[in-house]
Amino acid sequence: MIEARDLSLTIHGETILDRVSFDMEPGTTFGLVGESGSGKSMTALAIMGLSPRGAKVSGQVLLAGSDLTRLGERDMCAIRGNRISMIFQEPMTALNPVRTIGDQVAETLLIHTRATRAEALKIAEEKLTRVGLPPDRFPLDRYPHELSGGQRQRVCIAMAIALHPELLIADEPTTALDVTTQAQILNLLRDLVEEEGMSLLLITHDLAVVADVADHVAVMQTGRIVEQGATEQLFRTMAHPYTRQLLEASSHQPDRITPPAPEPLLEVEGATRDYVLPRRSFFGPGPTFRAVKDVSFTMQTGESLGLVGESGCGKSTLTRAILGLEPLQGGEIRLFGKPMTPETAGGLRSGIQVVFQDPYGSFNPRWRVDRLVAEPFHLMPERPADWCDRVAMALREVGLPAQAMERYPHEFSGGQRQRIAIARALILRPDLIILDEAVSALDVSIRAEILDLLAALRESHGLAYLFISHDLSVVRSITDRVLVMRAGEIIEEGPTQQVFSHPAHPYTQKLIKAAPTIPAEWKEEEDA
C-alpha cells in the first residue's frame, strides 16, 4: 500500500534519516520502534510532507504508485486527512482548545468534501460514537479541556478516520495513558484496521505495545532501520545487538535495596478530600465530589512505596494533600510525626521534594541550571554560602558534570533534564521524594538508567520514595510495597511481588491483565 525507498532527510546538512526502506501491506499494522532521536517521528513527517524548515528529502515514498516526495503543497493538502491521517502523542496540543470537539471532527469533512455543516456534524457524531464517545454522554459542543486524556485521544482518532484514510499514522498514541485506557485505545486502533481496511503505522518506544499490536516491526537507530521483519519472528531472533539492547532495557530491574530499620516517616489516617463542582444554576452551591475517600497507610523511612491506579482515581489529589498544598475535609496526614497541612507545611517542606513527569514543563526556560537546582533553598532561612558547591555536587551525584550549571534546560535531552529534576529534589537532602510519573515518557534505555540512579541514590542517601505511576512494570521493578487506588479508595495493598503475582482484588487483576507484555515464549527462544 505504501513503500519507502531509500528515504533520506537532512536538516541544514545534518543527516536525520539515512536510506530508510520498508513496505506496508493494506490492512496491516506496521510498528516502528526506537529511542528518541532515532528518526521515527521524522519518518512520519516526511511521509506526510511536513518536514521542518531547512530539511531536504531524497528517495521515494510511494502511495499506490504515486511518489509523495515529488508532490507540491496543494496536492499534499488534498492527501492529508483524506488518504493519510495522523494521530499525535499529546492530544491536548493537537486539538484546538477554543473549538468544540464536533467542529474539529467535522473540519476534515468540510475541507475535503462538499458536505454541508449539518451533514458534516452528523458524520462527526457517528465517528465519535464509533470511537466510544456517544452524543448522549459526550455532546458535540464539549471542549477538549472537559475530557480526560484518553477521551481527547479518541477525539483525535475520530478526526483521523473521518474520511476512511488508506494509511493511519499513530505517533506514540498511548505513552501518557494509564494501562486500561492504553488497552482500550490499542483495541480501538486494531478494530479500525480490521473494519476499515486501512493500514496503521504505529510509532512507539514500547516493545510490549508493538508485540501486542503490530504484524511487522522495523527497529530504528540513529536514522537507519537496523532490523525489520514479521513481529513474532523478529522477537524470537533479535538478530541485531541494538534490538536485544532495547529488549533488555524494557525489562530492566535495578538492584534490590535493603531498607534501614523501619521507623514511621509518613502517616496518612482517614484522609478525605472533597471538591465543590461548578453550580448548575444561580441558586445554591454546586454538588460535592469526593476525590479521596478515607485513605490510610503508613510509610517507613527508606521505603520505596508504589501508588498505582487509572487516571482520575485520586492519586494526584492525595499527593497534593501529602505535600500540604490542599486541605483535607477529614482525617490527618503526619510527616516526621508532625501534622502536614497548608498552614504547617512551610516548616516541613524541606524534608519532602517532588520530581514531576515533564521536567521541561516544571522548569523556568529562562533560568540556567544552577538557579533551577538551587531553587529549593528558598525553603531555608537563608541561602547557604556554599550553595554553588552544593549544586555542583548534586549534579555530579546524578551523573552530570558541574559545568552543566551554566547551560539552559533546552540544551539537554529528556533523560538529562530528568536528572536535573532529581538533582533539584536532592539539593536539600530530603527524607522523602515523591516521583509523579517520573519515567513514564522516557525511552526504555534512558528509563533503565534513571531507575538505576534512583536505586543508587536511595542506598547512598537513605531516601524513601513514593512512586506514582501507571507503568506497572516500573512499579514492580523499583518498589518494596504497592498501594492500588480506585475511585479515591485504596482497594489493595501489600508487598509488590505478592500483589503482582497473586492480585486479590478484581480491579488489580484487571490492571495487570491490561498491561501489554511480550509473550514469554518469544523471549525464551531468543535467550536460548
Side-chain angles (χ1 to χ4, degrees):
M1 195 282 297
I2 193 165
E3 308 167 68
R5 292 283 176 268
D6 294 326
L7 179 63
S8 298
L9 185 146
T10 62
I11 298 179
H12 301 300
E14 182 177 351
T15 300
I16 307 299
L17 301 179
D18 185 10
R19 292 169 293 173
V20 172
S21 297
F22 59 86
D23 295 336
M24 288 184 62
E25 299 295 330
T28 61
T29 299
F30 189 91
L32 194 58
V33 300
E35 298 174 288
S36 293
S38 62
K40 308 186 302 297
S41 296
M42 202 58 70
T43 300
L45 294 176
I47 293 173
M48 294 286 288
L50 296 174
S51 301
R53 184 174 298 177
K56 292 185 178 180
V57 179
S58 61
Q60 295 180 310
V61 177
L62 303 176
L63 176 65
S66 176
D67 187 0
L68 301 181
T69 65
R70 300 291 182 265
L71 298 182
E73 180 62 18
R74 180 181 292 273
D75 293 328
M76 283 304 300
C77 282
I79 290 176
R80 296 189 202 109
N82 187 10
R83 300 181 65 187
I84 303 177
S85 290
M86 190 165 180
I87 307 167
F88 296 93
Q89 176 175 350
E90 179 44 66
M92 194 59 184
T93 58
L95 295 172
N96 189 329
V98 298
R99 296 191 66 193
T100 65
I101 60 173
D103 283 340
Q104 295 192 62
V105 177
E107 183 180 19
T108 301
L109 298 157
L110 294 173
I111 290 174
H112 291 288
T113 70
R114 295 184 178 180
T116 64
R117 174 176 165 76
E119 293 169 341
L121 287 173
K122 180 65 176 177
I123 297 174
E125 183 178 286
E126 294 172 359
K127 296 301 178 183
L128 286 168
T129 300
R130 175 63 192 85
V131 299
L133 301 177
D136 56 330
R137 294 176 53 210
F138 303 94
L140 297 184
D141 60 357
R142 282 202 176 182
Y143 289 89
H145 71 271
E146 298 180 277
L147 305 176
S148 69
Q151 291 163 354
R152 287 194 289 263
Q153 195 63 285
R154 290 172 185 267
V155 174
C156 290
I157 295 173
M159 293 170 61
I161 66 170
L163 287 173
H164 307 281
E166 299 164 50
L167 172 63
L168 181 62
I169 301 175
D171 188 0
E172 300 278 11
T174 62
T175 297
L177 305 178
D178 58 60
V179 287
T180 52
T181 306
Q182 173 180 262
Q184 293 167 5
I185 295 297
L186 292 176
N187 287 334
L188 172 60
L189 291 174
R190 188 188 291 111
D191 292 344
L192 288 171
V193 168
E194 293 177 0
E195 296 171 11
E196 304 283 342
M198 67 178 70
S199 299
L200 173 64
L201 175 58
L202 179 63
I203 297 171
T204 181
H205 63 253
D206 193 328
L207 294 182
V209 167
V210 165
D212 187 46
V213 175
D215 302 302
H216 292 78
V217 179
V219 182
M220 289 196 77
Q221 182 187 27
T222 60
R224 306 182 73 177
I225 291 181
V226 297
E227 185 172 3
Q228 63 177 305
T231 303
E232 182 175 346
Q233 185 62 31
L234 184 140
F235 276 91
R236 286 185 182 275
T237 57
M238 295 275 180
H240 197 277
Y242 178 69
T243 310
R244 293 195 293 272
Q245 176 188 329
L246 287 179
L247 179 64
E248 291 167 3
S250 66
S251 56
H252 177 74
Q253 290 197 348
D255 294 335
R256 287 287 172 180
I257 305 299
T258 302
E263 182 180 337
L265 173 67
L266 173 66
E267 300 167 272
V268 180
E269 292 185 4
T272 299
R273 175 71 173 119
D274 295 335
Y275 290 108
V276 178
L277 300 178
R279 60 185 182 182
R280 298 174 183 174
S281 69
F282 291 104
F283 305 100
T288 299
F289 172 71
R290 180 151 290 181
V292 177
K293 307 172 185 177
D294 195 26
V295 168
S296 298
F297 65 89
T298 299
M299 191 173 176
Q300 308 295 331
T301 54
E303 183 182 22
S304 181
L305 178 66
L307 180 61
V308 301
E310 296 174 291
S311 296
C313 71
K315 303 190 302 293
S316 296
T317 300
L318 178 61
T319 302
R320 288 194 293 271
I322 291 172
L323 291 168
L325 299 175
E326 293 187 0
L328 294 176
Q329 278 68 51
E332 185 181 22
I333 295 175
R334 291 188 299 274
L335 184 66
F336 316 120
K338 300 177 181 178
M340 186 65 161
T341 67
E343 292 75 25
T344 63
L348 298 175
R349 284 206 179 113
S350 60
I352 182 171
Q353 293 291 302
V354 189
V355 178
F356 297 99
Q357 176 176 354
D358 179 12
Y360 196 66
S362 65
F363 289 159
N364 187 328
R366 295 184 293 180
W367 286 7
R368 294 192 318 182
V369 168
D370 55 352
R371 187 176 178 185
L372 291 170
V373 175
E375 186 177 8
F377 283 135
H378 80 275
L379 296 172
M380 302 176 68
E382 60 181 20
R383 176 175 289 198
D386 63 343
W387 71 270
C388 196
D389 293 335
R390 294 194 189 189
V391 169
M393 181 183 297
L395 290 172
R396 285 193 292 266
E397 285 176 334
V398 299
L400 293 174
Q403 294 80 2
M405 291 192 296
E406 302 172 2
R407 297 160 63 187
Y408 290 88
H410 72 271
E411 299 180 72
F412 296 89
S413 68
Q416 289 171 328
R417 285 197 289 263
Q418 198 61 287
R419 288 174 183 268
I420 295 170
I422 295 171
R424 179 171 64 176
L426 283 173
I427 196 72
L428 293 181
R429 293 293 184 262
D431 296 286
L432 171 62
I433 294 181
I434 297 178
L435 299 125
D436 188 2
E437 302 283 8
V439 298
S440 298
L442 300 179
D443 296 325
V444 287
S445 58
I446 298 174
R447 183 181 69 186
E449 293 175 5
I450 296 297
L451 292 179
D452 282 339
L453 171 64
L454 291 172
L457 291 171
R458 181 185 171 200
E459 184 174 31
S460 61
H461 292 68
L463 293 171
Y465 294 141
L466 178 56
F467 210 99
I468 302 167
S469 180
H470 64 252
D471 192 327
L472 301 186
S473 64
V474 169
V475 172
R476 187 170 191 170
S477 68
I478 200 172
T479 62
D480 307 314
R481 196 160 55 94
V482 65
L483 309 174
V484 183
M485 196 168 188
R486 180 190 186 190
E489 299 178 284
I490 302 297
I491 51 96
E492 186 167 358
E493 63 178 295
T496 301
Q497 297 307 319
Q498 177 184 320
V499 170
F500 277 82
S501 301
H502 305 287
H505 197 280
Y507 177 72
T508 310
Q509 297 169 6
K510 175 186 172 185
L511 283 181
I512 295 173
K513 185 178 179 180
T517 58
I518 301 171
E521 61 271 18
W522 295 5
K523 294 191 287 186
E524 287 170 3
E525 181 168 324
E526 193 273 332
D527 292 339

